[in-house]
Amino acid sequence: MKYIATSASAAILALAVFNTDVLAESHEQHQIREVSQQQKGFPDSMPRFVYDSGLTFEYPDAVRGIYVTGHSAGGERFETLLDLMDNTDLNAMVIDIKEDHGYLTYVPEEDSPFYDIGQPYIKDPRAMLETLEEHEVYPIARVVVFKDTILANSRPDLSFQDNGQVWANGREESFVNPFLKEVWDYNVEIAIEAAKMGFKEIQFDYVRFPEGFETRDDVLTYGTGDYTDDGNDETNERVDAVTDFVAYASEQLEPYDVDVSVDIFGYSATLPEAPGIGQNFNRISENVDVISSMIYPSHWTSYFGIAKPDLEPYNLISEYAKVENAKLAELEDPPVSRPWIQDFTASYLGAGNYLVYGPNEVKAQIDALYDNGINEFLLWNAGNTYTGGVDYLP
């Protein structure tokens, strides 16, 4: 990894243990002065600092979760979603904390550096988490990373520019630059705040360059930070930057007793890597506790020999799971696999190309995961309206 951080806690510990000043040797001598002062009598190993939010959440037998927007978490729909948790075998919520435009879904304290990007969707995040604790719902904070129109427009130097203007895709979304450590720290600090609130997992989404970046790389203006002139071609540098961010974020979050997960395009597992967007499935997986591939049948083309994947939810998910299992088997310490699956109808595909997704179609995807030894999943519905009557267990 190109960036290696020395934590403040390590520095403080070193000062406490040695309690001595080390005089600098001259540049010419190139030698280290031995310190003769006696080391204090601390034990050989000391417990590392772990932040305690005061809330208690047990990891479920297996996470079976849903996506929840800030509006839903802070509005009337929250009670409906809690009822869904209470009356089914679902047990987790992935809740937007930093959403797709770059806003926080709550308003932090006025002295917070993120006060200006806070939105009052979740009026009292702590009270919400206490409610989840009471209902034994496992809380996961979703933090959208490099898709961030708000930060891009306020800090064009951290974004990609086209003829002096912040570049935006066809949906008027802008991205910030994964090469720049200032962008990393911005998002890691938000993740740390979520951990302090009491969330037990941080899920990073949009951990990538914009789609099709390789086709516009030559026309956009942007910095490359520590990745300048390192001898790698630009393709490898994108993969390095994204992987290094994940490793760095995981390291910085260690004292907060949270798991780290990353959302990733499903097709990234079917390729050696996806260099255009900077995603390498195995390299990212090596640095997280959970990997969540987005494998909605509607989002695939004719992969795996399935001409119309949305019509065959079981077969599509099963074929994908075989590929992912083989990729994760290459790793010495693989993360938990917890894919995102489809709980919505993709009518935009046109007549004859989609199914109306109800209990049978949702269950088919879940069964395909179980049949391939994958026991965790997350349901995606952008409006948070989830299908009733689904058996979520094997």
Side-chain angles (χ1 to χ4, degrees), residues 49 51 53 97 106 114 141 143 184-199 201-202 204 248-258 260:
F49 164 76
Y51 185 86
S53 70
I97 287 299
Y106 66 99
F114 306 109
V143 176
W184 297 7
D185 285 329
Y186 179 88
N187 285 281
V188 167
E189 286 302 315
I190 290 171
I192 288 172
E193 289 306 305
K196 288 180 177 179
M197 286 180 200
F199 282 94
E201 181 174 316
I202 306 301
F204 292 112
Y248 176 74
S250 296
E251 177 189 76
Q252 297 301 304
L253 284 162
E254 278 186 10
Y256 298 94
D257 194 28
V258 290
V260 174

Side-chain angles (χ1 to χ4, degrees), residues 264 272 280-287 327-328 330-331:
I264 190 169
N280 179 304
F281 181 87
N282 277 20
R283 289 182 63 188
I284 290 176
S285 294
E286 287 174 333
N287 291 288
K327 293 281 280 191
L328 291 178
E330 298 170 4
L331 303 181

Side-chain angles (χ1 to χ4, degrees), residues 227-254:
Y227 296 83
T228 304
D229 298 329
D230 68 351
N232 284 337
D233 62 40
E234 294 172 354
T235 294
N236 289 335
E237 287 173 352
R238 289 196 291 272
V239 172
D240 287 346
V242 169
T243 304
D244 291 352
F245 164 74
V246 174
Y248 176 74
S250 296
E251 177 189 76
Q252 297 301 304
L253 284 162
E254 278 186 10

